[in-house]
Amino acid sequence: MTNDGVDLAVFGVMTAAFVVVTLLLGVYGYRNTKSNQEFLLGRNKAGPVIIALSYGATFLSASAVIGFGGQAAVHGMSVLWLCFLNLFVGLIVAFLVFGGPTRRKGRALGASTYADLMGKIYNSKGIRAFTAILIIVMMPIYAAAVLKGGVNSLAVITGLTDLYDLILIALAIVVAVYVVYGGIIAVMYNDAFQAAIMFIGMVVILVVTYGYLGGVTAGNEALGNLWDASIFDTINTGTQEGFNGWTSFADFGSKEWLTVVTTFLLGVGIGALTQPQLAVRFMSAKNDRDLNKSLIVGSIFMLAIVGSAYTVGALSNVYFMNEHGELAFQYISGLGLGTDFIIPQFILEIFSGISFGDVFVSLFLLSLVCAAISTISALIHTIGAAGGYDLYTLYKNKKGQLKGDSQSINLNRIVMVLVMVLLVVYCYLMPADIIAKATSVFMGLTAAALLPAYFHALYSKNPCKKAAVVSMVVGTLVYMFFALFINTGTSVFLPICEIITGQPVLFPDSSLASTDALVFALPLSIVAMAVALVFFRYKERSVASTESA
Amino acid sequence: MSFFGLTDPWIIGGYVMSFVCVAFCVVYGFLSGRSSEEEEDDE
């Protein structure tokens, strides 16, 4: 990758200014944090705009921009349906169906974290522990993938690959400092600041891309004209059977269709509903009206970021074909890089030679950094709270040394520092090019394990603890089985199937291998919840009638 | 039929539905903020 378009002096100045503002917001958070609950939740400390931008920036990580932007370059504008799902499920359904009840129940029960909320609604220490452990075990994989993706792109684009270790550690330290000292208030205000940078960066990129292509219609037509079915015979497009070009949806039921629809669209779209780090944003709101008002800014922000990333990703094929005579996937593969580098490479090239190009490239790099750390900061805070607050409270309660919840801010801070160290270690252990898939796995697993129980918790007057446990266990086990033994995309994370059977998945040639685990795990988790509810309610009524008789 | 150079109804639908969602959020957010029957702060 060439770094001709990056003026390191410009980028250095912009980064220095960014770090100063970030740390100042950390100080602001520190000064406004007087109790553990303020450290964890910051209730009433943020208005609708801060909630909207914080929710959006946390939701949309570097994964959305470079991970799924790269996937749009390969799979085309079909990925735009993920933009719709992000908006409809991740925003409208999340805020209107889950947001209000989460906020009201959280406040009524005095819950400070997602695991705390689930535990208190079900009056179950086991459910609180399960949720906290799920967060501690699975969330670091997602967080490390986001961190690794951000640092990788930054190092490669700037040409500072020799300084990879330094960039990784510097980024980790900046995030750790403001999260550990400033708590959720610093996290949310920094999210909003970072969201503003992301918004400007992505809108500029969209405008410049269509400008290069001669306008919206001309650009889209040029992309449509690239496709010729015979292209499969000569070029590795990175797609599967059923692909119909970058401006057409894949054939229904084909391998390409299954990959796009089940992994990218459903896995990430539905998984957004059960993100613990996002549920905390609902619990931070002063009232339901603020939540509803935050939809205005949140929706515009989300459309600008993901709509731009996916559109630009697909259109990059026209640019690379014009400039290099190759498709995006071909060109980036030829450079020895993965799909996560398509968007960064495209930005680097398209801005070279235009006025203020170095400023725009630096702005994009900063947007990338913002997208990564806004998500990482929220994840570290959530993982740290799951360990330093939820599990510690349960441990002390069990020992009889504490009644009620832990009030120790310092313990949360210590756990958050440890989590940050763990993430840095993970970055060295994880395979490359997995941002989009790691995101999909984390969101898919949390949806399969928690969505039915979360919905039941919010809408039932008498939540059934046993039914929730059945649903969580079934959702988790089924998801893990399909992710590790059936789906080729996710089995790479832990190649147990290959170790046992000698092949990566059980049915490598069937369409099941392209189908995301969520497609099986979530319906089964819902069915398990429904069946268990009927069974346990019937049992309760039988016991009650026997006793009254 | 061509919509800004796009012809596949599924792709056009993806864009249109995204903008419909944003329009809904903006209208709902404004109406919700102006409603006189809003809840009071919980504090």
Side-chain angles (χ1 to χ4, degrees):
Chain A
M1 185 175 271
T2 169
N3 68 339
D4 291 346
V6 184
D7 185 327
L8 291 178
V10 173
F11 181 59
V13 169
M14 289 172 78
T15 304
F18 170 76
V19 170
V20 168
V21 175
T22 299
L23 295 178
L24 284 175
L25 289 171
V27 172
Y28 175 81
Y30 181 75
R31 288 186 175 164
N32 282 278
T33 300
K34 304 281 185 267
S35 67
N36 196 35
Q37 203 179 48
E38 284 185 340
F39 183 83
L40 294 170
L41 208 53
R43 192 168 274 152
N44 296 350
K45 296 283 183 182
V49 173
I50 296 291
I51 289 172
L53 293 178
S54 176
Y55 183 92
T58 302
F59 185 16
L60 303 175
S61 64
S63 172
V65 178
I66 55 175
F68 287 95
Q71 296 297 340
V74 177
H75 300 281
M77 288 179 167
S78 307
V79 181
L80 248 299
W81 277 94
L82 180 56
C83 177
F84 162 69
L85 284 174
N86 285 157
L87 284 159
F88 181 70
V89 180
L91 209 61
I92 295 175
V93 174
F95 273 67
L96 300 186
V97 177
F98 290 86
T102 299
R103 190 197 67 78
R104 290 191 294 272
K105 289 218 172 189
R107 183 169 297 239
L109 296 167
S112 296
T113 66
Y114 182 78
D116 190 15
L117 176 72
M118 292 290 279
K120 282 177 176 161
I121 290 177
Y122 283 109
N123 192 23
S124 165
K125 288 175 178 162
I127 287 178
R128 185 176 181 181
F130 175 86
T131 310
I133 290 169
L134 189 71
I135 290 168
I136 290 170
V137 172
M138 293 306 298
M139 200 179 263
I141 297 171
Y142 171 40
V146 174
L147 180 60
K148 187 184 175 94
V151 175
N152 266 348
S153 302
L154 194 59
V156 173
I157 297 171
T158 54
L160 300 174
T161 44
D162 291 344
L163 300 178
Y164 178 90
D165 297 339
L166 186 67
I167 295 172
L168 175 63
I169 291 166
L171 201 63
I173 288 174
V174 170
V175 177
V177 165
Y178 83 75
V179 175
V180 167
Y181 282 97
I184 195 73
I185 299 170
V187 170
M188 290 180 72
Y189 276 80
N190 263 306
D191 284 349
F193 168 58
Q194 291 152 8
I197 294 173
M198 289 164 67
F199 183 87
I200 296 168
M202 293 312 295
V203 169
V204 167
I205 289 162
L206 183 69
V207 170
V208 169
T209 302
Y210 271 125
Y212 167 87
L213 297 172
V216 176
T217 302
N220 293 339
E221 282 176 351
L223 183 62
N225 293 337
L226 271 187
W227 174 246
D228 176 349
S230 63
I231 213 167
F232 268 133
D233 301 333
T234 52
I235 296 174
N236 178 10
T237 59
T239 55
Q240 301 174 78
E241 163 239 317
F243 181 66
N244 289 321
W246 298 270
T247 56
S248 297
F249 219 86
D251 290 337
F252 180 79
S254 64
K255 284 188 177 179
E256 175 68 12
W257 187 90
L258 285 170
T259 299
V260 170
V261 172
T262 66
T263 302
F264 298 141
L265 304 191
L266 296 181
V268 178
I270 294 174
L273 293 174
T274 47
Q275 296 303 294
Q277 73 278 17
L278 298 178
V280 169
R281 301 293 179 274
F282 300 142
M283 290 156 70
S284 298
K286 196 190 296 182
N287 50 41
D288 284 4
R289 183 179 49 201
D290 274 7
L291 277 183
N292 294 337
K293 281 166 77 177
S294 62
L295 281 172
I296 301 170
V297 174
S299 62
I300 295 169
F301 170 77
M302 206 172 273
L303 178 69
I305 303 299
V306 290
S308 297
Y310 303 162
T311 302
V312 166
L315 291 168
S316 68
N317 284 292
V318 181
Y319 175 85
F320 287 122
M321 186 56 79
N322 288 349
E323 300 295 324
H324 305 287
E326 292 183 309
L327 297 171
F329 181 78
Q330 248 186 311
Y331 180 64
I332 214 73
S333 300
L335 293 176
L337 300 168
T339 51
D340 290 346
F341 287 97
I342 292 175
I343 294 286
Q345 179 67 31
F346 170 70
I347 302 299
L348 201 57
E349 292 196 18
I350 199 168
F351 281 117
S352 65
I354 71 168
S355 304
F356 300 108
D358 48 358
V359 174
F360 289 131
V361 171
S362 297
L363 183 65
F364 168 72
L365 282 177
L366 212 51
S367 302
L368 213 59
V369 172
C370 291
I373 66 177
S374 58
T375 302
I376 295 163
S377 60
L379 297 179
I380 291 171
H381 188 272
T382 305
I383 302 166
Y389 176 70
D390 290 308
L391 290 187
Y392 180 74
T393 295
L394 291 170
Y395 172 75
K396 283 289 182 185
N397 287 166
K398 193 175 180 184
K399 288 270 181 185
Q401 295 168 343
L402 179 72
K403 284 185 179 177
D405 294 313
S406 165
Q407 298 303 320
S408 172
I409 298 180
N410 286 337
L411 184 66
N412 288 319
R413 288 180 167 143
I414 291 167
V415 177
M416 285 171 195
V417 170
L418 293 175
V419 169
M420 195 71 240
V421 173
L422 178 72
L423 293 194
V424 172
V425 174
Y426 266 23
C427 284
Y428 288 103
L429 301 177
M430 291 180 92
D433 214 19
I434 56 152
I435 305 178
K437 281 176 183 157
T439 305
S440 182
V441 166
F442 175 70
M443 292 199 171
L445 178 58
T446 50
L450 300 174
L451 188 55
Y454 181 33
F455 185 82
H456 179 62
L458 295 181
Y459 282 97
S460 173
K461 285 180 181 169
N462 179 25
C464 178
K465 180 166 66 179
K466 290 175 183 169
V469 171
V470 169
S471 167
M472 286 174 163
V473 171
V474 168
T476 304
L477 293 180
V478 173
Y479 188 92
M480 294 303 284
F481 175 76
F482 274 86
L484 297 175
F485 289 89
I486 304 292
N487 184 281
T488 44
T490 49
S491 63
V492 294
F493 285 100
L494 201 60
I496 294 176
C497 187
E498 190 154 18
I499 293 166
I500 297 173
T501 66
Q503 51 186 16
V505 289
L506 293 178
F507 313 107
D509 298 323
S510 77
S511 55
L512 281 177
S514 305
T515 309
D516 194 79
L518 182 69
V519 174
F520 305 98
L522 182 58
L524 284 173
S525 178
I526 293 169
V527 169
M529 181 94 203
V531 171
L533 258 181
V534 171
F535 175 75
F536 289 118
R537 294 284 195 232
Y538 174 77
K539 210 173 164 187
E540 281 169 14
R541 275 198 295 272
S542 299
V543 171
S545 59
T546 307
E547 283 174 354
S548 62
Chain B
M1 185 193 78
S2 174
F3 178 80
F4 290 102
L6 299 170
T7 51
D8 186 323
W10 282 102
I11 302 296
I12 296 169
Y15 278 102
V16 170
M17 292 305 287
S18 297
F19 279 98
V20 166
C21 282
V22 174
F24 171 83
C25 288
V26 171
V27 171
Y28 188 87
F30 272 119
L31 291 179
S32 176
R34 293 173 63 178
S35 170
S36 58
E37 294 179 6
E38 286 298 331
E39 58 172 319
E40 293 301 317
D41 293 356
D42 291 340
E43 291 296 297

